Amino acid sequence: MIEQVKGTRNLYGLDAEKYLYIYDIFRKSFNTYGYDLIELPTIEYKELFNKSIGENSEIVTKQMYEFKDKGNRDLVLRPEATASVVRFHNEFFKNESKKYSYFGKMFRYENPQKNRYREFIQAGAEIVGTIDEYSNLQILKSSIRFLSLLNIKSKLNLNTIGTKEEREKYIRELDKYFSKNKRELSKESVNKIGKNTLRILDSNDPFDNQIIDLAPVIYDYLSNETLSQYETFKKELTIEDIDFVENPKLVRGLDYYNDLTFEFIANGTVVGGGGRYDSLSEILGLGKLSGIGVAFGVDRL
């Protein structure tokens, strides 16, 4: 008998009904508020994610499904959608500002767990072009509306990771700190020092907790301008009566993020998250455009 590929799932019966229900609520929450639905290619050039996510990231080095086609081109099954949306926007709407939404399958080679698959479904939204602080608020309000309509009670975790230059300065200090304390870290975290140091802050290994808790805090390495923008945005959330928890260790896992980062946590599980990515278009060599996005794990929802 030919078995099902590990890390995949069949949507049938009640599972299929749940999928369609979440899709319908997602469209009501985003598409009726000006986000254009886009169906993205499942196959992309490997270079797109090498550049956008970062060649040293765990996604690129360990998790991408990559292959050569018959024309000897390096291709991958898309591991995420933001880079694909930015690629599309630069090709067709470079001089405009647009709001997009997507709902589809992504692929990452990682250990399958409960509600975590190698072929998984992601729902997301992006605002790309010339954007401002209100764009940040738009994404968060649409996300909160989506989760609320699903009757999912979640907590919004918030942080700022500053500019690329500020973050690099912070990472250098983290490298020194974690190198000094590497005997107190898990093997997985030690392997990230100097390669993907920020992701050590995301570790779920209890062995790492104490060292992470005492690690340098990013706010000490941010400019007054960055901190002022962050404080202003937090005040806007308070005015909008949006509750949040400030988490200085929240860094997200992709190289292209800057400034605002956020996650939605329900029952102790991250069900969605995102942030600003004002340099992604430049990283891809496509010009200068700003952006902010969010993505939800539909299987977890």
Side-chain angles (χ1 to χ4, degrees):
M1 184 178 73
I2 300 176
E3 296 182 350
Q4 181 177 325
V5 176
K6 185 178 180 180
T8 63
R9 66 184 301 201
N10 302 293
L11 292 178
Y12 178 77
L14 184 58
D15 282 341
E17 290 180 25
K18 288 179 181 179
Y19 171 87
L20 291 173
Y21 177 74
I22 293 172
Y23 180 60
D24 184 49
I25 295 296
F26 178 75
R27 292 201 64 186
K28 287 178 181 176
S29 303
F30 287 90
N31 295 85
T32 55
Y33 285 83
Y35 293 83
D36 295 326
L37 184 67
I38 179 171
E39 288 284 344
L40 297 159
T42 303
I43 302 171
E44 294 275 13
Y45 285 110
K46 181 180 176 181
E47 182 184 17
L48 179 67
F49 301 104
N50 277 7
K51 286 185 174 181
S52 62
I53 298 174
E55 291 188 354
N56 290 324
S57 72
E58 193 169 295
I59 294 173
V60 169
T61 58
K62 296 181 180 179
Q63 297 178 356
M64 284 205 302
Y65 279 92
E66 54 186 271
F67 60 97
K68 288 185 180 290
D69 68 1
K70 293 182 179 180
N72 206 37
R73 290 172 284 254
D74 290 315
L75 304 177
V76 298
L77 299 179
R78 64 183 183 206
E80 62 103 34
T82 300
S84 297
V85 171
V86 171
R87 171 196 52 72
F88 169 84
H89 182 86
N90 276 275
E91 186 173 355
F92 297 102
F93 299 104
K94 191 168 187 175
N95 298 317
E96 301 179 42
S97 295
K98 286 277 191 180
K99 295 161 68 175
Y100 302 99
S101 69
Y102 60 86
F103 199 102
K105 292 183 176 181
M106 313 294 157
F107 304 83
R108 293 186 192 178
Y109 188 87
E110 55 185 337
N111 188 34
Q113 305 170 38
K114 183 180 179 182
N115 296 323
R116 188 167 186 156
Y117 303 90
R118 290 174 174 174
E119 178 188 54
F120 58 97
I121 304 164
Q122 215 172 61
E126 316 284 347
I127 304 178
V128 186
T130 303
I131 67 176
D132 52 26
E133 294 306 307
Y134 183 67
S135 301
N136 298 350
L137 199 57
Q138 270 190 298
I139 281 283
L140 287 178
K141 290 175 75 172
S142 295
S143 299
I144 292 166
R145 178 169 52 244
F146 172 52
L147 293 171
S148 178
L149 287 172
L150 288 173
N151 291 318
I152 292 176
K153 294 181 180 179
S154 65
K155 289 184 178 180
L156 170 62
N157 276 226
L158 204 69
N159 193 27
T160 178
I161 56 173
T163 65
K164 179 183 178 183
E165 292 73 24
E166 291 166 350
R167 196 161 58 255
E168 286 175 348
K169 183 168 62 174
Y170 176 54
I171 289 171
R172 285 196 293 271
E173 292 304 311
L174 282 181
D175 279 336
K176 293 177 186 176
Y177 172 77
F178 286 129
S179 294
K180 183 179 177 182
N181 295 280
K182 62 183 179 181
R183 291 190 178 186
E184 309 299 323
L185 290 172
S186 65
K187 183 179 179 181
E188 184 178 356
S189 289
V190 169
N191 289 337
K192 291 177 181 176
I193 298 174
K195 298 175 183 176
N196 204 5
T197 310
L198 273 181
R199 291 310 305 273
I200 296 175
L201 300 177
D202 285 338
S203 173
N204 293 318
D205 192 321
F207 193 72
D208 295 330
N209 286 347
Q210 185 174 359
I211 297 302
I212 291 173
D213 287 344
L214 297 174
V217 177
I218 193 168
Y219 304 146
D220 295 334
Y221 302 89
L222 302 180
S223 67
N224 290 334
E225 181 182 359
T226 294
L227 291 171
S228 177
Q229 288 175 350
Y230 184 46
E231 290 300 319
T232 299
F233 184 65
K234 287 190 291 183
K235 289 177 183 176
E236 289 176 3
L237 292 179
T238 302
I239 292 170
E240 292 284 337
D241 201 27
I242 295 174
D243 293 328
F244 63 90
V245 175
E246 193 169 17
N247 180 1
K249 298 293 194 296
L250 173 57
V251 294
R252 304 294 292 165
L254 306 176
D255 283 0
Y256 56 65
Y257 281 120
N258 63 275
D259 293 311
L260 179 68
T261 58
F262 58 89
E263 287 181 342
F264 292 97
I265 299 175
N267 295 324
T269 300
V270 178
V271 294
R276 285 287 290 258
Y277 48 86
D278 298 328
S279 60
L280 177 54
S281 189
E282 285 185 275
I283 290 171
L284 295 174
L286 300 172
K288 188 170 177 59
L289 287 172
S290 296
I292 182 168
V294 63
F296 297 93
V298 174
D299 301 292
R300 292 183 180 185
L301 294 178

